[in-house]
Amino acid sequence: MTLFAVTRLELRRLFVRPLGWTIAALALAELGWRFALLLQIFLLNQVRLAALPDGPGYTDLVAVRLYSSLITGSTLPFGVTELALLLVPLLTMSTLASERNSGTLPLLFSTGLSPSSILLGKYLAVLIWLTLWLLSVIVLPASVAHGVKLDWGMLGAATLGTFLALAVLAAIGVACSAFASHPAVAAVAAFMIGVALNCVNLGAQLAGVNIGFINWLAMSTHQENLLRGLVSSADVIWFLLAIIVALALGIRRLAADGERG
Amino acid sequence: MNAPNPALPPVLQLEQVTRNRAGRPAVRDLSLRLHAGQILGLLGVNGAGKSTTLSLIAGALVPDRGAIRLLGKDFLEQPELARQALGWLPEAAPLWPELTLREHLNAHGRLRGLTGIRLKEAGDAVLERLELKDLAQRLAGVLSQGQRQRLGLACALLHRPALLVLDEPANALDPVQVVALRNLLRELAAAGTAVILSTHQLSEVTAVCDRVAILHEGVLRYDEPLPADQHAALEKKFFDIALHGKAQAT
């Protein structure tokens, strides 16, 4: 299928550009430092925690906290989700905006590919890149699994939640790249939409107001359940809906390119 | 001129194609036929609608009205036809600067449905034919303009299309490369490929084309076979249309 030809082309472009490697290296370095600090704090409090009945363990205090700072209430900055808010737009900004800038987008259209094949092919490539990045992050908490009691079920749910959050941010990033005429504009737009979607309920929460719809709208609400180990179809459906809406808007914009020129 | 075979449908057929851009018609009621082995030169001043016409033929733009048929089939209803039947070199050969020449050919080949050994052989053949073999592992971003143009041509030729659409193919080529390009186009036409090329240079058309079409303000003003040694007559016709807008519609 030529959709996979687009995926292969985009993956190749992602892997040969220094930006992708720089992003991955800086993010892994920050997460490694975060993991070391979380592990140190856990080890210092291990005796006290062991005395608590049903107290939090390694999975709650180290592994899951690696995924998000904001949601888990960690005092250390930048978990995977917070880093992704910044890094995913940088990764996705060139997917379509630079093709439009350099004139290669009409070439893709001339191969008979539909706008949906082009956009989904590119989205799939970004998703593969992000999956590899997430797998390399999981290695950190799993590396000490032999010496601690790791709750694989909870880690699995948290990883699923983080993967879905990355998938939503990637869909938003690719859609913004489809709309923007310049990669930098796409990155800024994707960053702002990602932050807004993640924190839309924060103001209401700080004010002590519980507004159901705003809470439902926020990505953090749904990711929080998964980070706690609770996998519910309602949360998974929210993520899928967000991905579908973002990609559908992107496809619509790309189709207009062929019609408007 | 290669005589068209009446038993075969034309490789390309445009019927009353109209396309508006920025609120005004860039191409108006354009009808055109091109048979296997023909080389059509598309002439016109800047803004005449040449690039829009080629983008429409290449499938990069959708016409507002009219039909485009490729090998007798409606191109808009079966866009996948383009995968095998069409090769396109847009103006200024758009490339991915971070990829090597070989990676460009592999990407274009896969997008056109070539895989495995067929892709490798087709890539080797065009690199050899366009004298790019020594540059196969070089990044496209560091190529000269002439090399970029030849790479764009290689990508368009890779899958041996029935119709080759070229927008200013001689741009940035040195005189030796221009002659090589002319020879290549003649060779392709002799093998049955239909070629449509847009250019500003009348000499390009008289040197290689067996038919000429002149667009002016989006309208086809002239479409005739081009007998040998007709440079002076073509030059007069072109300037009549470009400067005074007068010509007999065909």
Side-chain angles (χ1 to χ4, degrees):
Chain A
M1 275 177 77
T2 40
L3 181 147
F4 296 119
V6 177
T7 302
R8 206 163 163 172
L9 168 64
E10 189 60 29
L11 266 179
R12 186 72 201 150
R13 292 182 65 212
L14 279 172
F15 279 104
V16 297
R17 275 193 303 232
L19 181 68
W21 292 105
T22 311
I23 286 173
L26 287 175
L28 279 177
E30 196 276 340
L31 289 168
W33 170 75
R34 181 181 170 83
F35 173 70
L37 288 178
L38 286 169
L39 190 62
Q40 190 182 17
I41 293 167
F42 173 72
L43 292 174
L44 285 172
N45 294 299
Q46 203 174 16
V47 177
R48 191 172 58 82
L49 289 167
L52 295 171
D54 293 329
Y58 170 80
T59 313
D60 307 81
L61 296 177
V62 180
V64 172
R65 287 194 171 190
L66 203 58
Y67 287 142
S68 177
S69 198
L70 194 72
I71 298 170
T72 59
S74 169
T75 49
L76 297 173
F78 307 130
V80 172
T81 310
E82 290 80 26
L83 281 175
L85 287 172
L86 182 67
L87 302 184
V88 174
L90 290 176
L91 198 67
T92 55
M93 65 181 182
S94 295
T95 49
L96 288 156
S98 74
E99 299 267 17
R100 188 178 287 116
N101 252 352
S102 64
T104 44
L105 191 58
L107 267 183
L108 292 178
F109 277 121
S110 79
T111 61
L113 281 168
S114 64
S116 55
S117 296
I118 295 172
L119 192 128
L120 292 176
K122 285 178 174 283
Y123 176 64
L124 196 58
V126 174
L127 215 51
I128 290 170
W129 194 98
L130 288 172
T131 304
L132 293 175
W133 181 57
L134 188 59
L135 286 174
S136 63
V137 173
I138 297 171
V139 170
L140 294 171
S143 63
V144 290
H146 62 281
V148 294
K149 193 180 170 193
L150 190 59
D151 183 343
W152 286 103
M154 188 178 184
L155 183 65
T159 305
L160 174 67
T162 308
F163 171 75
L164 288 170
L166 291 179
V168 168
L169 294 174
I172 291 169
V174 172
C176 286
S177 191
F179 274 90
S181 55
H182 196 279
V185 177
V188 171
F191 172 72
M192 292 179 78
I193 294 171
V195 169
L197 195 64
N198 207 38
C199 309
V200 67
N201 59 343
L202 209 60
Q205 277 179 0
L206 288 174
V209 182
N210 189 2
I211 302 170
F213 176 71
I214 292 181
N215 274 333
W216 179 84
L217 199 62
M219 186 165 76
S220 53
T221 306
H222 306 279
Q223 198 187 353
E224 189 176 0
N225 291 336
L226 287 155
L227 289 182
R228 284 181 181 158
L230 183 67
V231 181
S232 87
S233 50
D235 293 322
V236 173
I237 287 169
W238 183 93
F239 282 107
L240 295 179
L241 268 178
I243 292 167
I244 290 167
V245 168
L247 294 180
L249 288 171
I251 289 168
R252 201 180 152 89
R253 175 63 182 87
L254 210 53
D257 263 1
E259 284 162 15
R260 284 201 297 235
Chain B
M1 177 184 173
N2 295 313
N5 183 348
L8 294 173
V11 174
L12 174 71
Q13 188 174 1
L14 273 70
E15 290 172 5
Q16 302 287 307
V17 170
T18 295
R19 169 73 201 200
N20 293 310
R21 286 186 115 166
R24 51 179 287 270
V27 173
R28 222 180 328 158
D29 293 327
L30 177 63
S31 296
L32 200 69
R33 279 170 174 238
L34 190 64
H35 288 85
Q38 285 189 320
I39 306 179
L40 171 70
L42 193 60
L43 288 171
V45 293
N46 286 332
K50 299 190 301 295
S51 290
T52 303
T53 303
L54 296 192
S55 295
L56 287 163
I57 293 169
L61 280 179
V62 181
D64 296 326
R65 273 203 321 273
I68 301 175
R69 293 185 203 285
L70 203 54
L71 299 170
K73 292 170 187 162
D74 193 316
F75 183 29
L76 299 174
E77 286 173 8
Q78 294 173 272
E80 66 277 8
L81 262 177
R83 206 163 295 149
Q84 277 96 33
L86 193 129
W88 182 35
L89 170 66
E91 198 175 356
L95 304 170
W96 295 285
E98 65 273 39
L99 299 188
T100 65
L101 273 70
R102 175 65 80 174
E103 286 167 343
H104 269 85
L105 294 173
N106 288 344
H108 276 271
R110 288 191 195 103
L111 288 167
R112 302 283 182 183
L114 294 178
T115 49
I117 191 75
R118 279 181 62 216
L119 175 59
K120 169 89 172 59
E121 285 174 357
D124 287 343
V126 287
L127 284 173
E128 184 82 50
R129 184 65 186 82
L130 290 159
E131 296 171 13
L132 291 167
K133 207 167 184 179
D134 295 340
L135 306 174
Q137 298 308 322
R138 192 170 290 185
L139 292 177
V142 298
L143 295 179
S144 70
Q145 278 298 317
Q147 289 165 342
R148 287 174 61 92
Q149 198 72 0
R150 280 189 287 152
L151 173 58
L153 191 58
C155 294
L157 284 173
L158 184 70
H159 56 298
R160 298 184 178 191
L163 172 65
L164 189 60
V165 182
L166 307 173
D167 199 349
E168 304 283 356
N171 262 2
L173 297 184
D174 63 41
V176 175
Q177 289 166 348
V178 168
V179 172
L181 172 69
R182 287 173 185 171
N183 290 336
L184 173 67
L185 295 182
R186 286 191 199 105
E187 194 181 295
L188 289 168
T193 306
V195 181
I196 177 164
L197 71 94
S198 149
T199 178
H200 287 108
Q201 296 170 24
L202 297 180
S203 58
E204 257 332 286
V205 173
T206 51
V208 79
C209 296
D210 46 30
R211 205 175 120 200
V212 64
I214 303 177
L215 277 172
H216 187 68
E217 294 177 348
V219 178
L220 184 65
R221 299 293 181 95
Y222 181 84
D223 180 9
E224 290 290 327
L226 184 69
D229 305 324
Q230 289 293 304
H231 185 88
L234 176 63
E235 197 168 39
K236 183 176 181 318
K237 181 68 69 182
F238 176 78
F239 283 109
D240 277 349
I241 292 170
L243 299 176
H244 311 299
K246 65 174 182 181
Q248 304 79 15
T250 55

